[in-house]
Amino acid sequence: MLRALGFFHFRENLEDPFGRLRLELKRKGAGHDISGSLIVLPEAFNLGEPYYPPGYPKVPGTPGSAKIPLVLALKELREIARQWSVAFVAGLLGEQYNSAYWIDHMGMPTRMCHKIGDDRTGHYLPWIGGEDSDGRNPIECADACVAALICLDALECPEETQPARERRENLIRCVKQCDRPFRILCVPAQMGSQCGPPEEDGMYCILANANAKKSFVKNGCRIEVEPMDQNRNEICIAPLARPDSAS
């Protein structure tokens, strides 16, 4: 059962993502019981360097160049999830694709989606469909229905493509039809755009960023929590308000 929603706002020491995640969990866990939290991690969390390469966009990166291989990243996150009794939705780079994964200590990691939008960094191949399944999206867990879209794919903006818009709208429609008490959209991001994810009544949105835009947890259009300093690393967590606990 989920007790809280949060994110890791990741802006410093990008070469050591798992060490910094452990450090911020230790800081947050020192004064709070964070067990039962769903924590969203930024896009390309295993890259191990700044997301936008030197010379971007004229000199793009290369698919499969993440410093921490996908298999090792998933193993490490599963162990951290076990240690703290939390779940993660993490943006991770593989040999080809830029993907979001559900990770907890109770089962094997589950791929939720691939990124289809092309941000021209060269870190991944945009997913165009075909025989390779996109993933399990949304995931239903206990009292929540959890969906994921990566950065560009979640944005409502004039330059979005029709496939991205249709995919986002279909996913949100599916989440809102879910019979679980909590409906949640997770957005691992490297976002600097002034556009943002949709604000839907009856749905939480968790944006975890490693770029200039602030991370947040929103309930509809209401911000539940955001970082104190957008240029520093911080894990922020907001409790889920349960219907039976409402005054």
Side-chain angles (χ1 to χ4, degrees), residues 139-174:
I139 283 177
E140 294 185 359
C141 62
D143 52 357
C145 184
V146 182
L149 289 171
I150 300 174
C151 199
L152 190 60
D153 292 354
L155 296 185
E156 292 182 315
C157 55
E159 60 268 27
E160 70 180 339
T161 64
Q162 182 176 348
R165 181 175 63 253
E166 290 177 351
R167 182 200 204 195
R168 185 186 68 245
E169 291 174 349
N170 289 338
L171 180 61
I172 289 173
R173 188 179 305 113
C174 180

Side-chain angles (χ1 to χ4, degrees), residues 159-229:
E159 60 268 27
E160 70 180 339
T161 64
Q162 182 176 348
R165 181 175 63 253
E166 290 177 351
R167 182 200 204 195
R168 185 186 68 245
E169 291 174 349
N170 289 338
L171 180 61
I172 289 173
R173 188 179 305 113
C174 180
V175 172
K176 295 184 78 171
Q177 290 173 349
C178 180
D179 62 359
R180 299 296 198 272
F182 300 108
R183 301 166 182 87
I184 303 162
L185 175 63
C186 302
V187 184
Q190 295 277 352
M191 193 178 292
S193 171
Q194 294 306 306
C195 302
E199 297 176 343
E200 298 281 341
D201 290 340
M203 189 175 76
Y204 285 90
C205 180
I206 311 171
L207 173 69
N209 205 17
N211 210 296
K213 192 179 181 73
K214 272 193 174 183
S215 304
F216 56 71
V217 175
K218 283 186 178 181
N219 184 357
C221 62
R222 185 179 73 246
I223 294 178
E224 299 288 337
V225 67
E226 61 183 0
M228 295 289 291
D229 183 344

Side-chain angles (χ1 to χ4, degrees), residues 21-246:
L21 174 60
R22 287 182 181 276
L23 177 62
E24 294 304 319
L25 283 168
K26 186 176 180 179
R27 286 175 176 168
K28 180 61 68 174
H32 303 83
D33 178 9
I34 63 173
S35 64
S37 297
L38 169 60
I39 300 173
V40 180
L41 307 180
E43 176 181 11
F45 189 63
N46 59 327
L47 181 59
E49 62 186 18
Y51 185 73
Y52 294 97
Y56 169 85
K58 292 184 178 180
V59 185
T62 305
S65 59
K67 297 293 189 292
I68 301 97
L70 177 60
V71 171
L72 295 182
L74 291 170
K75 181 179 179 181
E76 182 79 3
L77 288 174
R78 191 172 179 220
E79 172 57 25
I80 297 172
R82 183 201 62 77
Q83 180 183 357
W84 290 96
S85 297
V86 299
F88 295 115
V89 170
L92 298 170
L93 293 172
E95 289 300 313
Q96 293 183 301
Y97 298 120
N98 185 345
S99 309
Y101 286 84
W102 170 275
I103 303 149
D104 61 29
H105 66 285
M106 295 182 291
M108 297 302 294
T110 301
R111 189 180 71 230
M112 299 180 72
C113 66
H114 295 310
K115 186 174 180 179
I116 62 175
D118 186 359
D119 60 19
R120 297 185 297 164
T121 59
H123 292 311
Y124 63 96
L125 300 177
W127 187 70
I128 58 174
E131 295 182 1
D132 181 25
S133 172
D134 188 20
R136 183 180 161 198
N137 202 13
I139 283 177
E140 294 185 359
C141 62
D143 52 357
C145 184
V146 182
L149 289 171
I150 300 174
C151 199
L152 190 60
D153 292 354
L155 296 185
E156 292 182 315
C157 55
E159 60 268 27
E160 70 180 339
T161 64
Q162 182 176 348
R165 181 175 63 253
E166 290 177 351
R167 182 200 204 195
R168 185 186 68 245
E169 291 174 349
N170 289 338
L171 180 61
I172 289 173
R173 188 179 305 113
C174 180
V175 172
K176 295 184 78 171
Q177 290 173 349
C178 180
D179 62 359
R180 299 296 198 272
F182 300 108
R183 301 166 182 87
I184 303 162
L185 175 63
C186 302
V187 184
Q190 295 277 352
M191 193 178 292
S193 171
Q194 294 306 306
C195 302
E199 297 176 343
E200 298 281 341
D201 290 340
M203 189 175 76
Y204 285 90
C205 180
I206 311 171
L207 173 69
N209 205 17
N211 210 296
K213 192 179 181 73
K214 272 193 174 183
S215 304
F216 56 71
V217 175
K218 283 186 178 181
N219 184 357
C221 62
R222 185 179 73 246
I223 294 178
E224 299 288 337
V225 67
E226 61 183 0
M228 295 289 291
D229 183 344
Q230 67 184 50
N231 294 313
R232 303 292 298 273
N233 292 345
E234 186 179 359
I235 286 178
C236 298
I237 294 175
L240 271 173
R242 301 196 165 275
D244 57 5
S245 66

